[in-house]
Amino acid sequence: MKILEGCLDGQNLKIAIAVSRFNETVTKSLLEGAFVQLKRCAVNENDITVAWAPGAFELPGLATRFAKSEKFDAIIVLGAVIRGATPHFDHVSNAVNSGIAHLAREGKIPVIFGVLTTDTVEQAMDRAGLKCGNKGADAALAAVEMVNLYKRIS
Ligand code: INI
């Protein structure tokens, strides 16, 4: 039996992070979590490129451009979509979910989904470094693991 797994060695990896400014208090914490975790995996600070989009809706377009540039080993997508009183939440969350899922499936490199979709700001903050870990940090680990896993397959 052959079992393939990706290790958490991030040496020499080039990582792009697409992050949205909407709900910035939350997304800044996600970004910080991702950054710290990438460095713990030995990713060089100079090999991390961060681009800010206005909102989560813009993230699939931004991530697609990162993918097309062929300069990176993985893309991490970070955002926070928080339910409000209007259906806008559903439109934005559906658009970002399906856009990133498509890119992750069809692209050559791992695209990691670190976009929170929550009912309240509290739930978002809990997942951005308070009670329930930091989804940005989780996304960073997933990125390094998936790059190394894809390398083992190809
Ligand atoms: N963008 C977010 O990132 N999170 C949200 O919660 C959000 N809500 O709820 O409106 C949001 N809207 C902005 C959207 O992503 C676009 O930036 C905007 O519609 C311009 O295209």
Side-chain angles (χ1 to χ4, degrees):
M1 180 167 64
K2 190 164 191 174
I3 296 176
L4 299 178
E5 280 186 307
C7 70
L8 295 177
D9 179 3
Q11 280 181 76
N12 301 318
L13 297 189
K14 302 211 178 329
I15 308 288
I17 303 180
V19 57
S20 47
R21 209 176 291 114
F22 207 101
N23 298 317
E24 193 176 27
T25 310
V26 177
T27 60
K28 269 187 175 168
S29 297
L30 294 175
L31 179 61
E32 176 64 15
F35 189 69
V36 168
Q37 199 66 285
L38 287 173
K39 289 211 300 188
R40 291 184 68 208
C41 293
V43 176
N44 190 320
E45 208 173 308
N46 296 326
D47 289 333
I48 302 171
T49 301
V50 177
W52 286 91
F57 185 83
E58 284 72 36
L59 290 172
L62 180 55
T64 301
R65 273 147 191 83
F66 270 142
K68 283 189 178 155
S69 76
E70 300 201 340
K71 288 181 184 163
F72 304 99
D73 296 297
I75 301 165
I76 297 170
V77 182
L78 302 175
V81 191
I82 302 175
R83 192 178 287 282
T86 71
H88 202 62
F89 168 91
D90 298 298
H91 300 313
V92 173
S93 57
N94 288 340
V96 67
N97 290 354
S98 60
I100 298 303
H102 177 80
L103 190 60
R105 239 183 356 256
E106 305 299 333
K108 289 186 196 160
I109 60 171
V111 180
I112 307 300
F113 189 71
V115 179
L116 298 174
T117 50
T118 63
D119 286 331
T120 66
V121 174
E122 289 72 27
Q123 288 172 348
M125 289 304 287
D126 283 349
R127 286 154 185 78
L130 289 182
K131 282 187 203 155
C132 308
N134 185 313
K135 291 294 169 203
D138 295 347
L141 282 184
V144 174
E145 179 176 346
M146 288 302 288
V147 173
N148 289 321
L149 178 59
Y150 281 14
K151 276 185 187 164
R152 294 206 59 195
I153 292 170
S154 58

